[in-house]
Amino acid sequence: MHTTEHIQGIVEQVLKEEKWDINPHGLYDPIAYVLGLGGKRIRPVLLLMSTNLFTEDIEEGINPSIGIEVFHNFTLLHDDIMDKAPVRRKKPTVHIKWNENTAILSGDAMLIKAYQYMSDLPEKKLAKCLEVFSQTALEVCEGQQYDMDFEKRDNVNADEYLEMIRLKTAVLLAGSLQIGAIIGGAKEKDAKLLYNFGINIGLAFQLKDDLLDVYGDPENFGKQVGGDILNNKKTYLLINALNNASDKKKKNLKEWISKKQFKASEKIEAITNIYNETGVKNLCEKKMNDYFNTAISCLNKVSVEPNRKIILNDIANQLMNREV
Amino acid sequence: MHTTEHIQGIVEQVLKEEKWDINPHGLYDPIAYVLGLGGKRIRPVLLLMSTNLFTEDIEEGINPSIGIEVFHNFTLLHDDIMDKAPVRRKKPTVHIKWNENTAILSGDAMLIKAYQYMSDLPEKKLAKCLEVFSQTALEVCEGQQYDMDFEKRDNVNADEYLEMIRLKTAVLLAGSLQIGAIIGGAKEKDAKLLYNFGINIGLAFQLKDDLLDVYGDPENFGKQVGGDILNNKKTYLLINALNNASDKKKKNLKEWISKKQFKASEKIEAITNIYNETGVKNLCEKKMNDYFNTAISCLNKVSVEPNRKIILNDIANQLMNREV
């Protein structure tokens, strides 16, 4: 078995070796910039770990795993334009450092490059992997669309929210794992189990994100605690609070949401109290744990030796127990 | 052999049958809108005609041909954002009718859909067709980048301009023909000849465009005659006039380019006169005819019965002798 560090090293190496220093620089420089900003490379690592469940030789999975990482970074690039985000990984975003047209076109080129990497597969596996990849990629776009739609709606319910994060976040983790399994020669049933492992880990991961924003340790948390609350971001906590709170608390919550002038710490404290009192913190934790347990039970059913699954099990635990 | 009309009919039919009336509507409605605006469907028609050179059964080429058309419309959608174009085919562009975020995200989804259609191929042909498609798609992005770069530069030379239009316009016609040939079971040499036929037709086509803008019959020409002149668009005519004119004429030309206040008809007349007097009209016509003749000689070398090539020959002639 390959260690996580070893696999991460392979991914970084291949990303570093690709020659982006070519003409037209206006197109390729931003791509090198985005891919050079780092990140944990979780998706390509999951792909290769999934391959490694079934075979020691993970060579065939390397370029497709890069395809997944390039695709993921393409989505960040275009999402940052749409969200008007000025900063990504502590650096200016492409549409700020260059301009919007550059961010659109370099993103388009990244999506094509992602397909080039993904297509570097033996004839027998190409069609199946591409099918999963395209389906996944389309669903990620659908997730982003729902996310934008929900910002303009006041009546989003919890199920709609969960479906949105399934599309926007979970399917790419799931698709990475399924593609990795196909490349490793897994049976269809095992590849599907790994897909479902990914969906459930992805959903748990996003709920953890929602919780950390409110309940994270300010010392460890990378972002400002309460950022979602200040932005009125429709998280699992807010949506459930709006749907489940007593009339009085609901009124209070809506007042805080519509207030234009307030002390940040007071708004955060008031809404956190409502979350605690209406039990949505517990609700969110329970939902997260349910997804996590479903994920682990999917992994347990994959028909390979239990000791081969330790690394994926560990990664799942790390994603759940993270402080940032 | 299938007629042009028959092939066009197949393409329209498949485009019409795809169900875009699905959730999230914010993502898929603009795609249906763009694909419904019409157009001559030249690229998918060329693909299927190329297949038809080598086989009567063109079924395998249909979905890939749709992939090419969806890709082409994706490039129009994103280019229109970058060029801030308000109108396309006499209708409001997507970023005007909806908004910019919608145009970005629906375009992304179109690029993915294009790959889905293109991937609907037998195992033996998939890798090769995808390779041509991805390479072509990337080059189209490079062409758009050069086009944007050139707007900010004063010293673009004729070779750079030709390379830009090769990438932005010609490679997609060429790639369509090459992919069609591969699907039809052509030998590599024939597929490459058809690619080169496409490159040369594409270059001739764009030079014809540059000429029509200035010398088109106002009665027949779809757009305003002289539109490129009024926009100071760096066409083959303008670039060569700037490089070849006498110092006096060059000075005169530059004055017209930098003038902020002028009567449109006067600017058009003055610059057209400079084009005539410096011989760049003749230069452009000669270059166009050279490309056209090279294209036909490539087509002539393709190793199928001459009578199978009549339709492609006719199409090439139509593209050259058009009035719009």
mmCIF file of all heavy atoms in Angstrom, chain B residues 116-146:
data_model
loop_
_atom_site.group_PDB
_atom_site.id
_atom_site.type_symbol
_atom_site.label_atom_id
_atom_site.label_comp_id
_atom_site.label_asym_id
_atom_site.label_seq_id
_atom_site.Cartn_x
_atom_site.Cartn_y
_atom_site.Cartn_z
ATOM 1 N N GLN B 116 -19.730 14.957 -23.519
ATOM 2 C CA GLN B 116 -20.612 13.783 -23.407
ATOM 3 C C GLN B 116 -21.023 13.284 -24.795
ATOM 4 O O GLN B 116 -20.972 12.089 -25.085
ATOM 5 C CB GLN B 116 -21.856 14.123 -22.590
ATOM 6 C CG GLN B 116 -21.650 14.005 -21.091
ATOM 7 C CD GLN B 116 -22.949 14.192 -20.318
ATOM 8 O OE1 GLN B 116 -23.844 14.928 -20.747
ATOM 9 N NE2 GLN B 116 -23.063 13.545 -19.175
ATOM 10 N N TYR B 117 -21.444 14.213 -25.644
ATOM 11 C CA TYR B 117 -21.826 13.826 -27.005
ATOM 12 C C TYR B 117 -20.629 13.246 -27.763
ATOM 13 O O TYR B 117 -20.755 12.243 -28.467
ATOM 14 C CB TYR B 117 -22.363 15.040 -27.770
ATOM 15 C CG TYR B 117 -23.804 15.385 -27.503
ATOM 16 C CD1 TYR B 117 -24.159 16.565 -26.876
ATOM 17 C CD2 TYR B 117 -24.825 14.529 -27.914
ATOM 18 C CE1 TYR B 117 -25.485 16.898 -26.650
ATOM 19 C CE2 TYR B 117 -26.154 14.858 -27.697
ATOM 20 C CZ TYR B 117 -26.485 16.040 -27.066
ATOM 21 O OH TYR B 117 -27.801 16.358 -26.852
ATOM 22 N N MET B 118 -19.492 13.907 -27.642
ATOM 23 C CA MET B 118 -18.309 13.459 -28.371
ATOM 24 C C MET B 118 -17.863 12.062 -27.916
ATOM 25 O O MET B 118 -17.314 11.294 -28.692
ATOM 26 C CB MET B 118 -17.175 14.478 -28.173
ATOM 27 C CG MET B 118 -15.885 14.187 -28.915
ATOM 28 S SD MET B 118 -16.076 13.965 -30.707
ATOM 29 C CE MET B 118 -16.492 15.621 -31.225
ATOM 30 N N SER B 119 -18.125 11.755 -26.639
ATOM 31 C CA SER B 119 -17.662 10.471 -26.096
ATOM 32 C C SER B 119 -18.544 9.301 -26.501
ATOM 33 O O SER B 119 -18.220 8.147 -26.192
ATOM 34 C CB SER B 119 -17.618 10.545 -24.563
ATOM 35 O OG SER B 119 -16.775 11.589 -24.144
ATOM 36 N N ASP B 120 -19.656 9.576 -27.167
ATOM 37 C CA ASP B 120 -20.559 8.491 -27.579
ATOM 38 C C ASP B 120 -20.018 7.829 -28.847
ATOM 39 O O ASP B 120 -20.548 8.013 -29.942
ATOM 40 C CB ASP B 120 -21.965 9.058 -27.810
ATOM 41 C CG ASP B 120 -22.969 7.949 -28.110
ATOM 42 O OD1 ASP B 120 -22.656 6.770 -27.854
ATOM 43 O OD2 ASP B 120 -24.064 8.269 -28.605
ATOM 44 N N LEU B 121 -18.958 7.070 -28.661
ATOM 45 C CA LEU B 121 -18.242 6.462 -29.785
ATOM 46 C C LEU B 121 -17.793 5.054 -29.413
ATOM 47 O O LEU B 121 -17.589 4.753 -28.234
ATOM 48 C CB LEU B 121 -16.995 7.296 -30.097
ATOM 49 C CG LEU B 121 -17.185 8.510 -31.008
ATOM 50 C CD1 LEU B 121 -15.966 9.404 -30.978
ATOM 51 C CD2 LEU B 121 -17.477 8.055 -32.439
ATOM 52 N N PRO B 122 -17.600 4.190 -30.418
ATOM 53 C CA PRO B 122 -17.090 2.857 -30.102
ATOM 54 C C PRO B 122 -15.684 2.949 -29.500
ATOM 55 O O PRO B 122 -14.912 3.846 -29.840
ATOM 56 C CB PRO B 122 -17.035 2.151 -31.456
ATOM 57 C CG PRO B 122 -17.770 3.014 -32.407
ATOM 58 C CD PRO B 122 -17.821 4.383 -31.846
ATOM 59 N N GLU B 123 -15.417 2.020 -28.593
ATOM 60 C CA GLU B 123 -14.137 1.928 -27.877
ATOM 61 C C GLU B 123 -12.922 2.205 -28.773
ATOM 62 O O GLU B 123 -12.024 2.950 -28.401
ATOM 63 C CB GLU B 123 -14.041 0.505 -27.322
ATOM 64 C CG GLU B 123 -13.225 0.342 -26.078
ATOM 65 C CD GLU B 123 -13.460 -1.058 -25.489
ATOM 66 O OE1 GLU B 123 -12.724 -2.000 -25.858
ATOM 67 O OE2 GLU B 123 -14.378 -1.182 -24.670
ATOM 68 N N LYS B 124 -12.929 1.630 -29.967
ATOM 69 C CA LYS B 124 -11.749 1.691 -30.846
ATOM 70 C C LYS B 124 -11.487 3.097 -31.385
ATOM 71 O O LYS B 124 -10.373 3.406 -31.795
ATOM 72 C CB LYS B 124 -11.933 0.749 -32.058
ATOM 73 C CG LYS B 124 -11.898 -0.716 -31.724
ATOM 74 C CD LYS B 124 -10.456 -1.220 -31.750
ATOM 75 C CE LYS B 124 -10.353 -2.645 -31.209
ATOM 76 N NZ LYS B 124 -9.171 -2.845 -30.358
ATOM 77 N N LYS B 125 -12.520 3.919 -31.446
ATOM 78 C CA LYS B 125 -12.355 5.244 -32.041
ATOM 79 C C LYS B 125 -12.340 6.363 -31.016
ATOM 80 O O LYS B 125 -11.999 7.508 -31.340
ATOM 81 C CB LYS B 125 -13.495 5.502 -33.050
ATOM 82 C CG LYS B 125 -13.433 4.576 -34.244
ATOM 83 C CD LYS B 125 -14.698 4.598 -35.084
ATOM 84 C CE LYS B 125 -14.616 3.574 -36.203
ATOM 85 N NZ LYS B 125 -15.903 3.443 -36.933
ATOM 86 N N LEU B 126 -12.715 6.019 -29.774
ATOM 87 C CA LEU B 126 -12.930 7.054 -28.755
ATOM 88 C C LEU B 126 -11.668 7.857 -28.449
ATOM 89 O O LEU B 126 -11.678 9.094 -28.489
ATOM 90 C CB LEU B 126 -13.497 6.402 -27.479
ATOM 91 C CG LEU B 126 -13.775 7.317 -26.291
ATOM 92 C CD1 LEU B 126 -14.727 8.441 -26.670
ATOM 93 C CD2 LEU B 126 -14.356 6.514 -25.119
ATOM 94 N N ALA B 127 -10.574 7.181 -28.150
ATOM 95 C CA ALA B 127 -9.363 7.877 -27.706
ATOM 96 C C ALA B 127 -8.862 8.838 -28.778
ATOM 97 O O ALA B 127 -8.526 9.984 -28.495
ATOM 98 C CB ALA B 127 -8.273 6.871 -27.331
ATOM 99 N N LYS B 128 -8.834 8.358 -30.006
ATOM 100 C CA LYS B 128 -8.311 9.177 -31.101
ATOM 101 C C LYS B 128 -9.177 10.422 -31.336
ATOM 102 O O LYS B 128 -8.659 11.534 -31.504
ATOM 103 C CB LYS B 128 -8.232 8.302 -32.372
ATOM 104 C CG LYS B 128 -7.559 8.953 -33.554
ATOM 105 C CD LYS B 128 -6.054 9.158 -33.347
ATOM 106 C CE LYS B 128 -5.505 10.197 -34.315
ATOM 107 N NZ LYS B 128 -4.414 11.003 -33.750
ATOM 108 N N CYS B 129 -10.497 10.228 -31.356
ATOM 109 C CA CYS B 129 -11.389 11.372 -31.570
ATOM 110 C C CYS B 129 -11.301 12.373 -30.421
ATOM 111 O O CYS B 129 -11.302 13.586 -30.642
ATOM 112 C CB CYS B 129 -12.831 10.903 -31.752
ATOM 113 S SG CYS B 129 -13.089 10.076 -33.329
ATOM 114 N N LEU B 130 -11.218 11.864 -29.194
ATOM 115 C CA LEU B 130 -11.102 12.763 -28.046
ATOM 116 C C LEU B 130 -9.808 13.552 -28.095
ATOM 117 O O LEU B 130 -9.760 14.721 -27.723
ATOM 118 C CB LEU B 130 -11.136 11.969 -26.740
ATOM 119 C CG LEU B 130 -12.499 11.615 -26.184
ATOM 120 C CD1 LEU B 130 -12.325 10.727 -24.962
ATOM 121 C CD2 LEU B 130 -13.290 12.866 -25.799
ATOM 122 N N GLU B 131 -8.747 12.890 -28.549
ATOM 123 C CA GLU B 131 -7.450 13.568 -28.634
ATOM 124 C C GLU B 131 -7.556 14.765 -29.586
ATOM 125 O O GLU B 131 -7.123 15.867 -29.258
ATOM 126 C CB GLU B 131 -6.400 12.570 -29.130
ATOM 127 C CG GLU B 131 -4.980 13.072 -29.025
ATOM 128 C CD GLU B 131 -4.005 12.143 -29.746
ATOM 129 O OE1 GLU B 131 -4.156 10.899 -29.619
ATOM 130 O OE2 GLU B 131 -3.119 12.654 -30.453
ATOM 131 N N VAL B 132 -8.141 14.521 -30.761
ATOM 132 C CA VAL B 132 -8.305 15.614 -31.732
ATOM 133 C C VAL B 132 -9.221 16.692 -31.154
ATOM 134 O O VAL B 132 -8.937 17.893 -31.253
ATOM 135 C CB VAL B 132 -8.885 15.080 -33.061
ATOM 136 C CG1 VAL B 132 -9.161 16.239 -34.032
ATOM 137 C CG2 VAL B 132 -7.942 14.064 -33.695
ATOM 138 N N PHE B 133 -10.301 16.264 -30.516
ATOM 139 C CA PHE B 133 -11.273 17.227 -29.992
ATOM 140 C C PHE B 133 -10.655 18.119 -28.915
ATOM 141 O O PHE B 133 -10.783 19.347 -28.959
ATOM 142 C CB PHE B 133 -12.504 16.488 -29.451
ATOM 143 C CG PHE B 133 -13.585 17.395 -28.937
ATOM 144 C CD1 PHE B 133 -14.177 18.332 -29.768
ATOM 145 C CD2 PHE B 133 -14.022 17.317 -27.623
ATOM 146 C CE1 PHE B 133 -15.190 19.169 -29.306
ATOM 147 C CE2 PHE B 133 -15.031 18.148 -27.145
ATOM 148 C CZ PHE B 133 -15.614 19.076 -27.989
ATOM 149 N N SER B 134 -9.962 17.508 -27.948
ATOM 150 C CA SER B 134 -9.378 18.303 -26.858
ATOM 151 C C SER B 134 -8.306 19.253 -27.384
ATOM 152 O O SER B 134 -8.233 20.412 -26.973
ATOM 153 C CB SER B 134 -8.775 17.391 -25.779
ATOM 154 O OG SER B 134 -9.795 16.753 -25.050
ATOM 155 N N GLN B 135 -7.465 18.755 -28.272
ATOM 156 C CA GLN B 135 -6.411 19.588 -28.847
ATOM 157 C C GLN B 135 -7.045 20.782 -29.575
ATOM 158 O O GLN B 135 -6.628 21.935 -29.408
ATOM 159 C CB GLN B 135 -5.558 18.746 -29.806
ATOM 160 C CG GLN B 135 -4.407 19.496 -30.465
ATOM 161 C CD GLN B 135 -3.401 20.016 -29.446
ATOM 162 O OE1 GLN B 135 -3.218 19.422 -28.387
ATOM 163 N NE2 GLN B 135 -2.777 21.142 -29.757
ATOM 164 N N THR B 136 -8.064 20.501 -30.362
ATOM 165 C CA THR B 136 -8.771 21.549 -31.097
ATOM 166 C C THR B 136 -9.399 22.564 -30.144
ATOM 167 O O THR B 136 -9.268 23.775 -30.326
ATOM 168 C CB THR B 136 -9.876 20.907 -31.964
ATOM 169 O OG1 THR B 136 -9.251 19.990 -32.863
ATOM 170 C CG2 THR B 136 -10.648 21.947 -32.760
ATOM 171 N N ALA B 137 -10.072 22.047 -29.119
ATOM 172 C CA ALA B 137 -10.768 22.923 -28.164
ATOM 173 C C ALA B 137 -9.780 23.861 -27.475
ATOM 174 O O ALA B 137 -10.049 25.057 -27.302
ATOM 175 C CB ALA B 137 -11.516 22.077 -27.130
ATOM 176 N N LEU B 138 -8.635 23.314 -27.096
ATOM 177 C CA LEU B 138 -7.610 24.126 -26.433
ATOM 178 C C LEU B 138 -7.094 25.202 -27.388
ATOM 179 O O LEU B 138 -6.877 26.354 -26.992
ATOM 180 C CB LEU B 138 -6.476 23.207 -25.987
ATOM 181 C CG LEU B 138 -5.672 23.591 -24.751
ATOM 182 C CD1 LEU B 138 -6.556 23.909 -23.558
ATOM 183 C CD2 LEU B 138 -4.720 22.442 -24.393
ATOM 184 N N GLU B 139 -6.914 24.834 -28.648
ATOM 185 C CA GLU B 139 -6.421 25.807 -29.625
ATOM 186 C C GLU B 139 -7.439 26.932 -29.866
ATOM 187 O O GLU B 139 -7.057 28.082 -30.088
ATOM 188 C CB GLU B 139 -6.055 25.096 -30.933
ATOM 189 C CG GLU B 139 -4.765 24.299 -30.780
ATOM 190 C CD GLU B 139 -4.360 23.516 -32.031
ATOM 191 O OE1 GLU B 139 -5.185 23.391 -32.966
ATOM 192 O OE2 GLU B 139 -3.233 23.010 -32.062
ATOM 193 N N VAL B 140 -8.724 26.590 -29.829
ATOM 194 C CA VAL B 140 -9.746 27.634 -29.979
ATOM 195 C C VAL B 140 -9.625 28.652 -28.834
ATOM 196 O O VAL B 140 -9.718 29.867 -29.056
ATOM 197 C CB VAL B 140 -11.161 27.018 -30.035
ATOM 198 C CG1 VAL B 140 -12.237 28.104 -30.010
ATOM 199 C CG2 VAL B 140 -11.323 26.160 -31.294
ATOM 200 N N CYS B 141 -9.377 28.150 -27.608
ATOM 201 C CA CYS B 141 -9.147 29.071 -26.474
ATOM 202 C C CYS B 141 -7.909 29.924 -26.723
ATOM 203 O O CYS B 141 -7.906 31.123 -26.432
ATOM 204 C CB CYS B 141 -8.959 28.295 -25.166
ATOM 205 S SG CYS B 141 -10.434 27.463 -24.567
ATOM 206 N N GLU B 142 -6.857 29.310 -27.233
ATOM 207 C CA GLU B 142 -5.630 30.065 -27.529
ATOM 208 C C GLU B 142 -5.921 31.163 -28.559
ATOM 209 O O GLU B 142 -5.451 32.295 -28.430
ATOM 210 C CB GLU B 142 -4.529 29.129 -28.039
ATOM 211 C CG GLU B 142 -4.025 28.163 -26.970
ATOM 212 C CD GLU B 142 -2.996 27.160 -27.509
ATOM 213 O OE1 GLU B 142 -2.662 27.204 -28.708
ATOM 214 O OE2 GLU B 142 -2.529 26.321 -26.711
ATOM 215 N N GLY B 143 -6.712 30.829 -29.570
ATOM 216 C CA GLY B 143 -7.071 31.815 -30.585
ATOM 217 C C GLY B 143 -7.824 32.991 -29.989
ATOM 218 O O GLY B 143 -7.553 34.156 -30.317
ATOM 219 N N GLN B 144 -8.765 32.706 -29.089
ATOM 220 C CA GLN B 144 -9.519 33.774 -28.435
ATOM 221 C C GLN B 144 -8.584 34.645 -27.589
ATOM 222 O O GLN B 144 -8.713 35.870 -27.558
ATOM 223 C CB GLN B 144 -10.650 33.170 -27.585
ATOM 224 C CG GLN B 144 -11.373 34.139 -26.652
ATOM 225 C CD GLN B 144 -12.221 35.185 -27.369
ATOM 226 O OE1 GLN B 144 -12.337 35.172 -28.598
ATOM 227 N NE2 GLN B 144 -12.793 36.098 -26.621
ATOM 228 N N GLN B 145 -7.623 34.004 -26.911
ATOM 229 C CA GLN B 145 -6.662 34.764 -26.101
ATOM 230 C C GLN B 145 -5.832 35.702 -26.988
ATOM 231 O O GLN B 145 -5.656 36.881 -26.677
ATOM 232 C CB GLN B 145 -5.740 33.797 -25.342
ATOM 233 C CG GLN B 145 -4.736 34.488 -24.424
ATOM 234 C CD GLN B 145 -5.408 35.190 -23.258
ATOM 235 O OE1 GLN B 145 -6.288 34.626 -22.611
ATOM 236 N NE2 GLN B 145 -5.020 36.438 -22.993
ATOM 237 N N TYR B 146 -5.305 35.174 -28.104
ATOM 238 C CA TYR B 146 -4.529 36.020 -29.021
ATOM 239 C C TYR B 146 -5.387 37.168 -29.549
ATOM 240 O O TYR B 146 -4.931 38.301 -29.658
ATOM 241 C CB TYR B 146 -3.987 35.195 -30.191
ATOM 242 C CG TYR B 146 -2.768 34.368 -29.855
ATOM 243 C CD1 TYR B 146 -2.781 32.990 -29.998
ATOM 244 C CD2 TYR B 146 -1.593 34.968 -29.401
ATOM 245 C CE1 TYR B 146 -1.664 32.221 -29.687
ATOM 246 C CE2 TYR B 146 -0.474 34.212 -29.085
ATOM 247 C CZ TYR B 146 -0.510 32.834 -29.225
ATOM 248 O OH TYR B 146 0.591 32.084 -28.916
#
